[in-house]
Amino acid sequence: MNSVGEACTDLKREYDQCFNRWFAEKFLKGDRSGDPCTETFRRYQRCVQKAIKEKDIPVDGVDFMGPNKDKPES
Amino acid sequence: MKIWSTEHVFSYPWETVIKAAMRKYPNPMNPNVVGVDVLDRSLDAEGRLHSHRLLSTEWGLPGIVRAILGTNHTQTYVKEHSIVDPEEKKMELCSTNITLTNLISVDERLLYRPHPDNPDVTVLTQEAIITVKGVSLSSYLEGMMARRMSANARKGWDAIEWIIQNSERENVPLCDIY
């Protein structure tokens, strides 16, 4: 699966692999020991946030957990 | 406004289903999802995992629909918030489009829980509210969107099953003679 920012796809895959392993082998088994993915996530995020700005994707200002929230027009 | 809801049972335990749900894309049944990114992820005070993700989708709206809506956009963005509660065995996802919001609003909620009568299977409850704005034929378009969502929901269930089956295959050796 690609990232929304094409240049970030490799970083995304690296992070996803780390996360999926932690999720299945630690988190779901009740292991609350540290998150091994913070570094890869940071690198990946730097790239994604840049891509979001460049593409002008309106990620902010939409708060929700449930429907019926007013959204900014775009 | 159109409200649509459905329920589906997966013949797999909850942990298996949500591991697949977290890795849902890419899959052959949802080719319209072309990009997925995690924007934020954290554990809350109750030990639940929150994820905020951005999905980019190619809706493939028929030309006539695009003409009615007055848009040539083909790629739309969806923001998704999910909460995984490993103690309560609950995974909840809420998503909403963040582009084309002046034209249409699709809010979707998915809830994965073990079946109350059988802990070895998982129930997915899925609901959506669809609102097409400021356009005549809005109820027609909403009806069409609801039908499309039904079709996509079915594909989504197949996608989860596909992910589960392909992961299982990875872990099972082909021959027992090693």
Side-chain angles (χ1 to χ4, degrees):
Chain A
M1 184 85 269
N2 292 336
S3 167
V4 161
E6 295 79 11
C8 311
T9 295
D10 286 340
L11 291 169
K12 169 194 147 65
R13 294 210 182 129
E14 197 187 325
Y15 167 70
D16 280 348
Q17 258 177 19
C18 181
F19 169 76
N20 287 330
R21 206 174 320 135
W22 171 83
F23 185 73
E25 294 168 17
K26 299 273 162 127
F27 178 70
L28 286 183
K29 301 198 171 157
D31 185 336
R32 293 279 172 271
S33 62
D35 179 2
C37 308
T38 33
E39 233 349 273
T40 42
F41 188 62
R42 212 168 311 181
R43 279 197 295 268
Y44 163 49
Q45 274 308 289
R46 268 201 294 267
C47 185
V48 166
Q49 293 298 334
K50 187 155 159 272
I52 286 171
K53 269 202 190 71
E54 281 169 5
K55 296 194 173 196
D56 219 3
I57 303 172
V59 293
D60 295 316
V62 184
D63 255 337
F64 62 100
M65 179 34 89
N68 296 325
K69 300 262 175 158
D70 283 326
K71 288 184 281 195
E73 305 260 297
S74 91
Chain B
M1 183 168 93
K2 181 137 192 103
I3 295 170
W4 166 88
S5 75
T6 188
E7 208 174 76
H8 179 75
V9 176
F10 295 97
S11 310
Y12 296 96
W14 182 79
E15 287 82 1
T16 305
V17 175
I18 63 153
K19 277 189 279 191
M22 287 303 241
R23 297 178 349 249
K24 192 173 172 186
Y25 305 108
N27 70 73
M29 292 82 183
N30 297 129
N32 55 304
V33 177
V34 297
V36 179
D37 281 303
V38 178
L39 300 180
D40 190 35
R41 204 162 240 158
S42 58
L43 286 171
D44 67 17
E46 286 98 56
R48 302 180 306 174
L49 181 71
H50 291 251
S51 306
H52 285 88
R53 299 200 308 173
L54 175 68
L55 284 75
S56 87
T57 66
E58 281 279 358
W59 269 99
L61 291 174
I64 182 135
V65 176
R66 280 188 275 142
I68 293 170
L69 295 179
T71 178
N72 257 324
H73 290 120
T74 54
Q75 214 166 91
T76 54
Y77 292 100
V78 171
K79 199 164 157 183
E80 175 202 89
H81 177 193
S82 64
I83 305 180
V84 181
D85 187 339
E87 304 275 320
E88 296 258 325
K89 300 208 183 193
K90 231 173 92 165
M91 176 169 175
E92 186 178 3
L93 289 98
C94 279
S95 71
T96 189
N97 58 304
I98 58 173
T99 52
L100 300 183
T101 51
N102 55 325
L103 296 172
I104 188 167
S105 180
V106 180
D107 289 317
E108 203 178 2
R109 179 177 179 260
L110 282 75
L111 183 62
Y112 294 92
R113 301 207 70 169
H115 195 287
D117 303 327
N118 179 358
D120 293 328
V121 308
T122 303
V123 182
L124 165 62
T125 325
Q126 200 167 347
E127 51 197 349
I129 298 179
I130 303 152
T131 312
V132 174
K133 303 171 191 179
V135 169
S136 57
L137 296 181
S138 55
S139 55
Y140 166 76
L141 289 170
E142 287 169 359
M144 211 192 67
M145 278 299 297
R147 278 191 292 283
R148 183 174 274 267
M149 293 198 78
S150 282
N152 282 344
R154 255 173 280 280
K155 289 185 204 163
W157 308 332
D158 290 343
I160 296 285
E161 303 260 350
W162 184 89
I163 298 271
I164 291 170
Q165 281 150 31
N166 280 282
S167 313
E168 279 181 328
R169 223 168 287 145
E170 273 162 28
N171 295 325
V172 175
L174 193 52
C175 302
D176 282 340
I177 59 171
Y178 297 133

